[in-house]
Amino acid sequence: MDLLKEKIRTEGLALSEEVLKVDSFLNHQIDPLLMTEMGKAFAAYFNKGKKITKVLTIESSGIAVGLTTALELGVPLVFARKKKSLTMSNDLFVSKVYSFTKQEENEITVSKRFISPDDHILLIDDFLAHGEAALGLASIVEQAGATVAGIGIVIEKSFQAGNEKLTKAGYDVYSLARIKSLQQGKVEFLEEELVYE
Ligand code: G4P
């Protein structure tokens, strides 16, 4: 997606060979126009043939783009929590998510009231690194007996294992920007393969 790539080129900062800082538009300050366009892009890709009934993301950085996607699809957004809410009962789906980036394990939870077996759920997240967050969300959907309609990612770090893991597990993964490398402070994108007819 060109608008996103342009933002990454002009405002993204490769903090190391593994970590890209994008807090001026994605995960601290948020660019509403970019979120709107990304929501349209996810909806256009995933709304073919399969009827999506809900969007599911994880707090906090997935919420903005999850919301614009849900708005575009005309369905509710649910976000998994990393800390138990005071008002949530014990009626929860729970999944353990290990973060390689932060080297910590989080338990993510979603109330059983918000996912049912007939749901077709689109998972949305801001980054795809090792795929742990997406697999945790998929596990929650599957615990509910619902179906994962696909996985939409804003920024995929293609040099890490996430995409391969999710694709091998049979999920339809669509990333708006795919990063090949972050070497020497430079962001290099994985160009889409050209298709010759
Ligand atoms: P994984 O889910 O694909 O395995 O990724 P990982 O555990 O490595 O990611 C853990 C957290 O780090 C996630 O945020 C993810 O968005 C973030 N992250 C991963 N790689 C990058 C990166 O290159 N740059 C930035 N800025 N963030 C990265 P989180 O803990 O869920 O935090 P938040 O959603 O509250 O912001």
Side-chain angles (χ1 to χ4, degrees), residues 65-86:
V65 63
L67 181 67
T68 56
T69 306
L71 183 67
E72 198 61 35
L73 291 167
V75 300
L77 167 70
V78 179
F79 65 89
R81 291 182 184 267
K82 290 180 189 153
K83 291 215 171 79
K84 279 189 192 147
S85 136
L86 275 181

PDB file of all heavy atoms in Angstrom, residues 65-86:
ATOM      1  N   VAL A  65      -6.611   0.742  13.694  1.00  0.00           N
ATOM      2  CA  VAL A  65      -6.801   0.170  12.350  1.00  0.00           C
ATOM      3  C   VAL A  65      -7.871  -0.920  12.368  1.00  0.00           C
ATOM      4  O   VAL A  65      -8.588  -1.114  11.380  1.00  0.00           O
ATOM      5  CB  VAL A  65      -5.446  -0.304  11.765  1.00  0.00           C
ATOM      6  CG1 VAL A  65      -4.826  -1.417  12.581  1.00  0.00           C
ATOM      7  CG2 VAL A  65      -5.606  -0.755  10.322  1.00  0.00           C
ATOM      8  N   GLY A  66      -8.029  -1.582  13.498  1.00  0.00           N
ATOM      9  CA  GLY A  66      -9.118  -2.556  13.633  1.00  0.00           C
ATOM     10  C   GLY A  66     -10.457  -1.849  13.509  1.00  0.00           C
ATOM     11  O   GLY A  66     -11.384  -2.344  12.855  1.00  0.00           O
ATOM     12  N   LEU A  67     -10.549  -0.679  14.098  1.00  0.00           N
ATOM     13  CA  LEU A  67     -11.807   0.075  14.075  1.00  0.00           C
ATOM     14  C   LEU A  67     -12.165   0.538  12.664  1.00  0.00           C
ATOM     15  O   LEU A  67     -13.314   0.402  12.232  1.00  0.00           O
ATOM     16  CB  LEU A  67     -11.717   1.282  15.018  1.00  0.00           C
ATOM     17  CG  LEU A  67     -12.983   2.121  15.079  1.00  0.00           C
ATOM     18  CD1 LEU A  67     -14.119   1.343  15.730  1.00  0.00           C
ATOM     19  CD2 LEU A  67     -12.745   3.416  15.836  1.00  0.00           C
ATOM     20  N   THR A  68     -11.190   1.082  11.932  1.00  0.00           N
ATOM     21  CA  THR A  68     -11.522   1.566  10.576  1.00  0.00           C
ATOM     22  C   THR A  68     -11.878   0.386   9.663  1.00  0.00           C
ATOM     23  O   THR A  68     -12.720   0.515   8.783  1.00  0.00           O
ATOM     24  CB  THR A  68     -10.371   2.390   9.963  1.00  0.00           C
ATOM     25  OG1 THR A  68      -9.167   1.614   9.957  1.00  0.00           O
ATOM     26  CG2 THR A  68     -10.150   3.680  10.736  1.00  0.00           C
ATOM     27  N   THR A  69     -11.252  -0.764   9.921  1.00  0.00           N
ATOM     28  CA  THR A  69     -11.581  -1.958   9.123  1.00  0.00           C
ATOM     29  C   THR A  69     -13.006  -2.414   9.433  1.00  0.00           C
ATOM     30  O   THR A  69     -13.799  -2.711   8.532  1.00  0.00           O
ATOM     31  CB  THR A  69     -10.577  -3.098   9.426  1.00  0.00           C
ATOM     32  OG1 THR A  69      -9.257  -2.609   9.227  1.00  0.00           O
ATOM     33  CG2 THR A  69     -10.817  -4.306   8.536  1.00  0.00           C
ATOM     34  N   ALA A  70     -13.332  -2.442  10.720  1.00  0.00           N
ATOM     35  CA  ALA A  70     -14.677  -2.864  11.142  1.00  0.00           C
ATOM     36  C   ALA A  70     -15.740  -1.898  10.600  1.00  0.00           C
ATOM     37  O   ALA A  70     -16.812  -2.318  10.155  1.00  0.00           O
ATOM     38  CB  ALA A  70     -14.735  -2.938  12.663  1.00  0.00           C
ATOM     39  N   LEU A  71     -15.415  -0.619  10.625  1.00  0.00           N
ATOM     40  CA  LEU A  71     -16.348   0.398  10.120  1.00  0.00           C
ATOM     41  C   LEU A  71     -16.628   0.155   8.637  1.00  0.00           C
ATOM     42  O   LEU A  71     -17.774   0.174   8.188  1.00  0.00           O
ATOM     43  CB  LEU A  71     -15.727   1.794  10.337  1.00  0.00           C
ATOM     44  CG  LEU A  71     -16.562   2.996   9.955  1.00  0.00           C
ATOM     45  CD1 LEU A  71     -17.777   3.116  10.864  1.00  0.00           C
ATOM     46  CD2 LEU A  71     -15.725   4.273  10.046  1.00  0.00           C
ATOM     47  N   GLU A  72     -15.572  -0.090   7.910  1.00  0.00           N
ATOM     48  CA  GLU A  72     -15.686  -0.326   6.475  1.00  0.00           C
ATOM     49  C   GLU A  72     -16.502  -1.600   6.180  1.00  0.00           C
ATOM     50  O   GLU A  72     -17.272  -1.653   5.234  1.00  0.00           O
ATOM     51  CB  GLU A  72     -14.265  -0.447   5.908  1.00  0.00           C
ATOM     52  CG  GLU A  72     -14.141  -0.267   4.437  1.00  0.00           C
ATOM     53  CD  GLU A  72     -14.596   1.097   3.944  1.00  0.00           C
ATOM     54  OE1 GLU A  72     -14.410   2.114   4.657  1.00  0.00           O
ATOM     55  OE2 GLU A  72     -15.157   1.129   2.846  1.00  0.00           O
ATOM     56  N   LEU A  73     -16.322  -2.624   7.017  1.00  0.00           N
ATOM     57  CA  LEU A  73     -17.035  -3.895   6.813  1.00  0.00           C
ATOM     58  C   LEU A  73     -18.445  -3.863   7.414  1.00  0.00           C
ATOM     59  O   LEU A  73     -19.247  -4.773   7.174  1.00  0.00           O
ATOM     60  CB  LEU A  73     -16.253  -5.055   7.460  1.00  0.00           C
ATOM     61  CG  LEU A  73     -14.924  -5.433   6.799  1.00  0.00           C
ATOM     62  CD1 LEU A  73     -14.121  -6.361   7.708  1.00  0.00           C
ATOM     63  CD2 LEU A  73     -15.174  -6.106   5.448  1.00  0.00           C
ATOM     64  N   GLY A  74     -18.712  -2.857   8.251  1.00  0.00           N
ATOM     65  CA  GLY A  74     -20.030  -2.767   8.899  1.00  0.00           C
ATOM     66  C   GLY A  74     -20.236  -3.821   9.967  1.00  0.00           C
ATOM     67  O   GLY A  74     -21.346  -4.353  10.126  1.00  0.00           O
ATOM     68  N   VAL A  75     -19.168  -4.162  10.691  1.00  0.00           N
ATOM     69  CA  VAL A  75     -19.262  -5.189  11.750  1.00  0.00           C
ATOM     70  C   VAL A  75     -18.612  -4.642  13.022  1.00  0.00           C
ATOM     71  O   VAL A  75     -17.876  -3.670  12.979  1.00  0.00           O
ATOM     72  CB  VAL A  75     -18.556  -6.508  11.318  1.00  0.00           C
ATOM     73  CG1 VAL A  75     -19.193  -7.083  10.060  1.00  0.00           C
ATOM     74  CG2 VAL A  75     -17.058  -6.310  11.128  1.00  0.00           C
ATOM     75  N   PRO A  76     -18.858  -5.293  14.178  1.00  0.00           N
ATOM     76  CA  PRO A  76     -18.228  -4.823  15.416  1.00  0.00           C
ATOM     77  C   PRO A  76     -16.724  -5.147  15.459  1.00  0.00           C
ATOM     78  O   PRO A  76     -16.269  -6.087  14.804  1.00  0.00           O
ATOM     79  CB  PRO A  76     -18.940  -5.615  16.523  1.00  0.00           C
ATOM     80  CG  PRO A  76     -20.150  -6.208  15.890  1.00  0.00           C
ATOM     81  CD  PRO A  76     -19.823  -6.387  14.441  1.00  0.00           C
ATOM     82  N   LEU A  77     -16.027  -4.365  16.261  1.00  0.00           N
ATOM     83  CA  LEU A  77     -14.624  -4.652  16.571  1.00  0.00           C
ATOM     84  C   LEU A  77     -14.551  -5.150  18.008  1.00  0.00           C
ATOM     85  O   LEU A  77     -15.147  -4.554  18.906  1.00  0.00           O
ATOM     86  CB  LEU A  77     -13.796  -3.368  16.468  1.00  0.00           C
ATOM     87  CG  LEU A  77     -12.379  -3.462  17.061  1.00  0.00           C
ATOM     88  CD1 LEU A  77     -11.486  -4.362  16.223  1.00  0.00           C
ATOM     89  CD2 LEU A  77     -11.758  -2.078  17.187  1.00  0.00           C
ATOM     90  N   VAL A  78     -13.801  -6.224  18.211  1.00  0.00           N
ATOM     91  CA  VAL A  78     -13.507  -6.708  19.568  1.00  0.00           C
ATOM     92  C   VAL A  78     -12.000  -6.634  19.736  1.00  0.00           C
ATOM     93  O   VAL A  78     -11.272  -6.949  18.794  1.00  0.00           O
ATOM     94  CB  VAL A  78     -13.947  -8.184  19.746  1.00  0.00           C
ATOM     95  CG1 VAL A  78     -13.609  -8.680  21.146  1.00  0.00           C
ATOM     96  CG2 VAL A  78     -15.434  -8.348  19.467  1.00  0.00           C
ATOM     97  N   PHE A  79     -11.541  -6.180  20.902  1.00  0.00           N
ATOM     98  CA  PHE A  79     -10.091  -6.263  21.116  1.00  0.00           C
ATOM     99  C   PHE A  79      -9.788  -7.142  22.309  1.00  0.00           C
ATOM    100  O   PHE A  79     -10.477  -7.094  23.325  1.00  0.00           O
ATOM    101  CB  PHE A  79      -9.437  -4.884  21.239  1.00  0.00           C
ATOM    102  CG  PHE A  79      -9.842  -4.068  22.433  1.00  0.00           C
ATOM    103  CD1 PHE A  79      -9.150  -4.165  23.637  1.00  0.00           C
ATOM    104  CD2 PHE A  79     -10.902  -3.184  22.348  1.00  0.00           C
ATOM    105  CE1 PHE A  79      -9.509  -3.402  24.735  1.00  0.00           C
ATOM    106  CE2 PHE A  79     -11.273  -2.412  23.439  1.00  0.00           C
ATOM    107  CZ  PHE A  79     -10.577  -2.529  24.635  1.00  0.00           C
ATOM    108  N   ALA A  80      -8.763  -7.983  22.145  1.00  0.00           N
ATOM    109  CA  ALA A  80      -8.318  -8.818  23.257  1.00  0.00           C
ATOM    110  C   ALA A  80      -7.595  -7.914  24.245  1.00  0.00           C
ATOM    111  O   ALA A  80      -6.863  -7.002  23.859  1.00  0.00           O
ATOM    112  CB  ALA A  80      -7.386  -9.901  22.740  1.00  0.00           C
ATOM    113  N   ARG A  81      -7.809  -8.213  25.525  1.00  0.00           N
ATOM    114  CA  ARG A  81      -7.148  -7.423  26.571  1.00  0.00           C
ATOM    115  C   ARG A  81      -5.909  -8.137  27.061  1.00  0.00           C
ATOM    116  O   ARG A  81      -5.871  -9.363  27.100  1.00  0.00           O
ATOM    117  CB  ARG A  81      -8.095  -7.228  27.744  1.00  0.00           C
ATOM    118  CG  ARG A  81      -9.258  -6.322  27.446  1.00  0.00           C
ATOM    119  CD  ARG A  81     -10.098  -6.164  28.703  1.00  0.00           C
ATOM    120  NE  ARG A  81     -11.278  -5.372  28.471  1.00  0.00           N
ATOM    121  CZ  ARG A  81     -11.343  -4.049  28.658  1.00  0.00           C
ATOM    122  NH1 ARG A  81     -10.293  -3.388  29.072  1.00  0.00           N
ATOM    123  NH2 ARG A  81     -12.470  -3.403  28.440  1.00  0.00           N
ATOM    124  N   LYS A  82      -4.920  -7.338  27.461  1.00  0.00           N
ATOM    125  CA  LYS A  82      -3.709  -7.935  28.041  1.00  0.00           C
ATOM    126  C   LYS A  82      -3.799  -7.971  29.555  1.00  0.00           C
ATOM    127  O   LYS A  82      -3.105  -8.723  30.210  1.00  0.00           O
ATOM    128  CB  LYS A  82      -2.496  -7.122  27.620  1.00  0.00           C
ATOM    129  CG  LYS A  82      -2.173  -7.277  26.159  1.00  0.00           C
ATOM    130  CD  LYS A  82      -0.977  -6.458  25.819  1.00  0.00           C
ATOM    131  CE  LYS A  82      -0.755  -6.421  24.340  1.00  0.00           C
ATOM    132  NZ  LYS A  82      -0.060  -5.208  23.951  1.00  0.00           N
ATOM    133  N   LYS A  83      -4.639  -7.088  30.108  1.00  0.00           N
ATOM    134  CA  LYS A  83      -4.862  -7.114  31.559  1.00  0.00           C
ATOM    135  C   LYS A  83      -6.342  -7.351  31.787  1.00  0.00           C
ATOM    136  O   LYS A  83      -7.171  -6.820  31.044  1.00  0.00           O
ATOM    137  CB  LYS A  83      -4.482  -5.770  32.171  1.00  0.00           C
ATOM    138  CG  LYS A  83      -3.003  -5.500  32.135  1.00  0.00           C
ATOM    139  CD  LYS A  83      -2.536  -4.724  33.370  1.00  0.00           C
ATOM    140  CE  LYS A  83      -1.030  -4.643  33.444  1.00  0.00           C
ATOM    141  NZ  LYS A  83      -0.474  -3.612  32.547  1.00  0.00           N
ATOM    142  N   LYS A  84      -6.660  -8.121  32.791  1.00  0.00           N
ATOM    143  CA  LYS A  84      -8.083  -8.391  33.034  1.00  0.00           C
ATOM    144  C   LYS A  84      -8.791  -7.130  33.488  1.00  0.00           C
ATOM    145  O   LYS A  84      -8.296  -6.406  34.335  1.00  0.00           O
ATOM    146  CB  LYS A  84      -8.228  -9.489  34.091  1.00  0.00           C
ATOM    147  CG  LYS A  84      -8.044 -10.858  33.472  1.00  0.00           C
ATOM    148  CD  LYS A  84      -8.401 -11.968  34.438  1.00  0.00           C
ATOM    149  CE  LYS A  84      -7.924 -13.281  33.855  1.00  0.00           C
ATOM    150  NZ  LYS A  84      -7.500 -14.221  34.877  1.00  0.00           N
ATOM    151  N   SER A  85      -9.945  -6.896  32.887  1.00  0.00           N
ATOM    152  CA  SER A  85     -10.721  -5.731  33.274  1.00  0.00           C
ATOM    153  C   SER A  85     -11.451  -6.023  34.583  1.00  0.00           C
ATOM    154  O   SER A  85     -11.804  -7.165  34.875  1.00  0.00           O
ATOM    155  CB  SER A  85     -11.703  -5.423  32.144  1.00  0.00           C
ATOM    156  OG  SER A  85     -12.958  -5.128  32.654  1.00  0.00           O
ATOM    157  N   LEU A  86     -11.680  -4.978  35.364  1.00  0.00           N
ATOM    158  CA  LEU A  86     -12.374  -5.130  36.648  1.00  0.00           C
ATOM    159  C   LEU A  86     -13.785  -5.669  36.476  1.00  0.00           C
ATOM    160  O   LEU A  86     -14.301  -6.367  37.330  1.00  0.00           O
ATOM    161  CB  LEU A  86     -12.497  -3.750  37.316  1.00  0.00           C
ATOM    162  CG  LEU A  86     -11.312  -3.271  38.148  1.00  0.00           C
ATOM    163  CD1 LEU A  86     -11.642  -1.900  38.732  1.00  0.00           C
ATOM    164  CD2 LEU A  86     -11.014  -4.270  39.257  1.00  0.00           C
TER     165      LEU A  86
END
